Amino acid sequence: QRSFMSVGGAFYGYGWEPQLAELTWHALFLVPLWSMDPLFGWAENQSVYAIPTLVIWAIRFFILKIMLGAGLIKIKSSDPKWKYPKFSSMDYFYETQPCPNPFSRVFHYMPRGWHRFEVLSNHFVELVAPFLLIMPFREMRLIGAIIQIQFQLILILSGNLSFLNWLTIVPSIFCLDDRFLLRRIPRFFHRIAFGTKATAFVKN
C-alpha cells in the first residue's frame, strides 16, 4: 500500500486511493490460497471452503475505521460549522463539493432546518452507527450495514465523489450475510451473485 502511495504522489493524496489500496489487500484473502483453479468451487465434486471468519471481521473493522475517521476529522477540526451551536456545514456543502450532480441543486435549496438535521445525521452515521458493524449480535450488524449503505447511496444521489461512496459500500456488504441477502435476491441470481459454493454462509 505504501508503495502505491509513494508512486502516486500528489495524485494519491485523496482519501479514496489509500482506501482502495487497503481494501484490495483485504480482498486478496477472500479467495482460497491453496487453489489456482479459476473455476474453484463450481464443480460439484469439489470441496467447500468458506471465507475465513478472520478475514470477514477484518473487513468489518476496516469499514468501522473508515467511518470513524470521517466523523472524527470533522469533530476535531477547527471548523465551527460542524459543531454546536451552528451545525451549518450543509448550508454550503452542495455548492462547494467537487462535482455537483443535477440533484445537488435540489438538496442545496432545502430548508435550513433540514440542513441542521443532515449534520446531526452525519455525526450519528459516522460516529455512533459504525459500532453496530462489529457487534456480536447479527441483527445489530444488519442494521449497521443498512445504515451505512443507505448513507452512501444518499451521498451518491446528492453529489459526485467519484468512486469513493461505491468503494465504501463494498466493505459494508460484508456486515450482511447470505441468509439476509438470499431472501432479497431472486433465485435466478443466486449463483451469479454469490459465485461458488465456497462463499456460502446461509446457515450463519
Side-chain angles (χ1 to χ4, degrees):
Q1 177 180 345
R2 296 184 66 87
S3 298
F4 278 113
M5 299 303 103
S6 299
V7 173
F11 295 100
Y12 277 15
Y14 299 96
W16 37 89
E17 283 82 9
Q19 183 175 335
L20 176 61
E22 186 170 351
L23 183 59
T24 301
W25 170 255
H26 287 296
L28 293 176
F29 300 95
L30 294 175
V31 297
L33 300 180
W34 48 83
S35 174
M36 299 299 292
D37 183 2
L39 300 178
F40 179 84
W42 284 78
E44 293 299 329
N45 59 350
Q46 286 184 341
S47 301
V48 175
Y49 295 97
I51 297 174
T53 303
L54 180 61
V55 177
I56 298 293
W57 280 98
I59 295 176
R60 290 172 180 172
F61 274 95
F62 169 67
I63 183 61
L64 168 71
K65 181 187 71 171
I66 291 296
M67 298 310 298
L68 278 181
L72 290 175
I73 198 172
K74 299 177 178 68
I75 295 297
K76 295 174 66 176
S77 72
S78 58
D79 188 350
K81 293 190 292 295
W82 284 106
K83 304 174 184 177
Y84 178 84
K86 287 193 173 182
F87 292 141
S88 60
S89 59
M90 299 307 293
D91 293 349
Y92 316 97
F93 171 76
Y94 297 109
E95 62 180 347
T96 59
Q97 62 180 322
C99 300
N101 69 27
F103 293 103
S104 300
R105 177 183 175 86
V106 177
F107 283 90
H108 175 68
Y109 284 107
M110 295 291 283
R112 180 166 296 181
W114 175 257
H115 291 318
R116 301 296 179 275
F117 173 75
E118 287 179 315
V119 176
L120 293 173
S121 298
N122 181 91
H123 289 334
F124 172 77
V125 172
E126 294 183 344
L127 295 171
V128 179
F131 289 100
L132 296 174
L133 303 174
I134 59 170
M135 288 290 148
F137 308 106
R138 174 179 177 268
E139 291 75 13
M140 298 184 72
R141 292 198 303 271
L142 294 179
I143 293 173
I146 292 171
I147 290 175
Q148 298 302 330
I149 293 172
Q150 288 181 339
F151 180 64
Q152 298 303 322
L153 291 176
I154 292 173
L155 293 179
I156 292 170
L157 181 66
S158 62
N160 181 9
L161 294 175
S162 184
F163 60 88
L164 174 63
N165 303 121
W166 296 105
L167 185 64
T168 307
I169 288 176
V170 173
S172 300
I173 295 175
F174 282 85
C175 299
L176 306 173
D177 55 25
D178 287 5
R179 182 165 33 143
F180 175 86
L181 294 172
L182 285 170
R183 293 175 179 174
R184 290 158 179 84
I185 295 179
R187 185 172 298 274
F188 174 78
F189 294 103
H190 286 184
R191 184 75 166 180
I192 300 174
F194 294 98
T196 72
K197 297 184 299 179
T199 61
F201 286 98
V202 179
K203 296 181 179 180
N204 287 356

